[in-house]
Amino acid sequence: MSTGKVVGSFTEAVADIEDRATLIVGGFGLCGVPEKSIAALAAKGCRELTVISNNCGVDDFGLGILLANGQIAKMVASYVGENSIFERQYMSGEVEVELVPQGTLAERMRAAGAGIPGFYTATGVGTPVADGKETREFDGRTYLLERALGGEFALVKAWRGDPLGNLVYRDTARNFNPLAAMAGAVTIAEVEELVGVGELDPNEVHTPGIFVQRILEGSDYEKRIERLRVREAQA
Amino acid sequence: MSASGADAPSARTRIVRRAALELREGMNINLGIGMPTLLADQAEGLAGVLLHSENGLLGIGPYPLAGEEDPDLINAGKETVTAIPGASFFDSAESFAMIRGGHIDLAILGGMEVSQAGDLANWMVPGKMVKGMGGAMDLVAGAKRVVVIMEHRTREGESRVRRECTLPLTGRGVVDRLITELAVFDFPRDGSMALVELAPGVSLSEVEEATEAEFEPTPGLTGS
């Protein structure tokens, strides 16, 4: 099926995400996060979600909104600092966390989307990450077996997209989004600009529409900056 | 010690100054968050150097001018940055393919502890809130050369340069070079640790006193 991916509202886009669903969410820090889909999930109120995402937002933005609502039961991430609500819920046992090295997390998503059940990596050998994992030696070096990591739904954010689900990202807002798009059984893509079929240069498509099941345009993106750093102008 | 007089630069300044000598023209370099980021200016001044940011940018530029910041363009520390002419953007899997695949010539990271076998601990302290390892485990396992920069002792005066790390590891046998405010050590990966430089004004006995690890001074050892 290659038609009918455009949905009319964010409420509709997330309507079948139920309690205890597993979601893969794009973004790095607050950059490239699917802020409109997250807001719709917060409004829907589904609970006990397992969320796989590099980070967990800040207290009042990004995935932090779902945490504050008590909607997340488990986070799979590489770094969860910057979030005091997370810290409190983790310490009290409300939220379970599985920490995964960032490159391993990206590759596990890619593998899930690419039909590769597992892969070997040297990352984490001899560290707590290796606990309970199969190891194997190749050419004299030890590697860990890491498993693919997919989910029922993926929420991704792109700059531009078309009704076929083709996506183009902007600058470092790409990050985990193409991998999340591959790893979700149902991938919901929100874009800043939805253009007509044929308006995206096929040479410049980052995520081919085959990985996207639903697409819609968001408006009034906040795109919050987590750490503003500027330099002085030279005299 | 002579290097700790009132006018002497701070330990961090001395570490960063020495670490800058590790940078070479033409290198692809990943600078970790914290002290390593202070090397960005020197690195950007070297011909052909591309700074890698694991969130998907090769060719980090200076911080933007006020008003020119772009929420879509950040570094791995989540700070607003710019991209130099010739930069490229890519997704996180490709970014870590660069790291894991040995395409990054040099990674400079901060440390909490380094052992004499070249083990590094820099991501968690048991009993404290665990924030996560981010990309550090991938970087130390994958970069062609791993340089750790850290202060030689904790605030309590305990050696961070140890026989065995006491903190959970980031990587085992991964450190090529350790730079502290007192000395430079190399790890030839045979389990041994070599003292290759003394910081200006620092004596061998001072380093021995501050170091729990066992190390061998290299023949002809001098200050840098």
Side-chain angles (χ1 to χ4, degrees):
Chain A
M1 276 211 319
S2 63
T3 55
K5 293 181 179 177
V6 179
V7 289
S9 71
F10 283 92
T11 306
E12 191 187 329
V14 303
D16 55 351
I17 300 182
E18 306 291 349
D19 291 357
R20 289 176 290 285
T22 297
L23 311 178
I24 304 206
V25 182
F28 181 96
L30 303 182
C31 182
V33 297
E35 53 181 274
K36 305 300 172 190
S37 300
I38 290 170
L41 271 183
K44 182 168 193 282
C46 39
R47 303 182 71 81
E48 293 180 60
L49 300 170
T50 292
V51 176
I52 301 160
S53 186
N54 189 53
N55 311 100
C56 200
V58 294
D59 285 348
D60 62 344
F61 195 69
L63 289 168
I65 294 169
L66 300 182
L67 265 181
N69 269 354
Q71 293 176 262
I72 299 180
K74 181 176 180 184
M75 238 357 264
V76 180
S78 85
Y79 188 82
V80 291
E82 337 300 348
N83 191 313
S84 64
I85 293 172
F86 184 91
E87 185 164 348
R88 201 160 60 239
Q89 293 187 359
Y90 173 61
M91 290 305 205
S92 70
E94 280 169 77
V95 170
E96 188 189 340
V97 62
E98 179 185 338
L99 291 170
V100 179
Q102 195 174 135
T104 297
L105 183 62
E107 193 65 14
R108 288 177 70 188
M109 290 183 194
R110 200 194 74 81
I116 296 168
F119 58 91
Y120 287 96
T121 176
T123 302
V125 170
T127 78
V129 163
D131 290 350
K133 286 178 187 153
E134 180 186 323
T135 59
R136 187 167 164 183
E137 216 168 274
F138 293 90
D139 304 322
R141 191 171 184 196
T142 305
Y143 295 80
L144 293 184
L145 177 64
E146 293 281 4
R147 298 290 306 270
L149 186 60
E152 301 161 75
F153 293 91
L155 308 180
V156 306
K157 157 78 197 309
W159 179 34
R160 304 175 79 205
D162 71 16
L164 297 179
N166 294 307
L167 302 177
V168 177
Y169 307 93
R170 186 168 172 275
D171 295 6
T172 58
R174 189 180 323 182
N175 57 61
F176 278 83
N177 280 298
L179 312 161
M182 292 175 74
V186 174
T187 291
I188 302 163
E190 58 178 89
V191 296
E192 290 177 52
E193 188 187 1
L194 188 63
V195 302
V197 170
E199 287 185 51
L200 296 178
D201 180 345
N203 286 301
E204 292 175 2
V205 168
H206 296 130
T207 292
I210 195 167
F211 294 117
V212 174
Q213 281 65 48
R214 298 173 193 165
I215 187 164
L216 69 171
E217 186 180 280
S219 56
D220 303 317
Y221 274 94
E222 178 179 344
K223 298 217 272 184
R224 192 184 294 186
I225 289 173
E226 195 162 342
R227 294 206 177 129
L228 177 65
R229 281 290 300 262
V230 295
R231 72 178 194 274
E232 299 290 320
Q234 302 286 326
Chain B
M1 93 182 82
S2 54
S4 62
D7 296 331
S10 71
R12 287 166 66 91
T13 302
R14 281 181 281 153
I15 293 167
V16 169
R17 203 173 278 170
R18 175 59 190 80
L21 302 177
E22 301 295 314
L23 310 169
R24 300 273 186 283
E25 288 186 355
M27 276 184 163
N28 297 304
I29 301 172
N30 186 294
L31 298 175
I33 294 162
M35 194 160 38
T37 304
L38 301 173
L39 291 159
D41 285 346
Q42 282 103 318
E44 284 162 15
L46 287 171
V49 163
L50 290 175
L51 290 180
H52 175 262
S53 189
E54 58 266 30
N55 57 315
L57 164 60
L58 186 62
I60 308 174
Y63 293 116
L65 293 169
E68 292 181 4
E69 66 273 9
D70 181 339
D72 288 337
L73 183 44
I74 64 170
N75 64 17
K78 287 132 191 171
E79 298 171 325
T80 46
V81 290
T82 58
I84 62 168
S88 53
F89 297 116
F90 33 84
D91 68 48
S92 298
E94 202 168 3
S95 185
F96 281 90
M98 293 176 193
I99 293 169
R100 207 188 297 104
H103 308 282
I104 299 296
D105 299 300
L106 174 65
I108 302 185
L109 297 93
M112 293 177 183
E113 290 179 343
V114 170
S115 81
Q116 63 196 35
D119 302 345
L120 170 67
N122 78 347
W123 72 284
M124 76 175 278
V125 178
K128 292 206 179 161
M129 169 65 190
V130 179
K131 291 175 184 286
M133 69 292 283
M137 287 190 182
D138 308 274
L139 277 162
V140 298
K144 267 190 218 158
R145 180 167 169 78
V146 173
V147 173
V148 171
I149 61 177
M150 68 178 188
E151 293 185 40
H152 209 101
R153 284 160 295 201
T154 65
R155 270 187 218 101
E156 294 73 36
E158 271 196 69
S159 181
R160 296 178 189 270
V161 189
R162 308 189 67 95
R163 288 192 179 86
E164 294 277 351
C165 292
T166 63
L167 298 170
L169 295 185
T170 307
R172 190 179 289 280
V174 292
V175 180
D176 292 295
R177 173 163 281 189
L178 167 65
I179 298 172
T180 77
E181 73 280 21
L182 300 181
V184 179
F185 299 95
D186 279 353
F187 301 83
R189 304 284 171 91
D190 57 3
S192 75
M193 174 175 170
L195 172 66
V196 294
E197 280 177 34
L198 293 166
V202 174
S203 70
L204 177 59
S205 62
E206 280 171 312
V207 174
E208 283 170 339
E209 194 182 323
T211 307
E212 194 218 52
E214 289 177 26
F215 59 87
E216 287 295 325
T218 54
L221 178 73
T222 55
S224 57

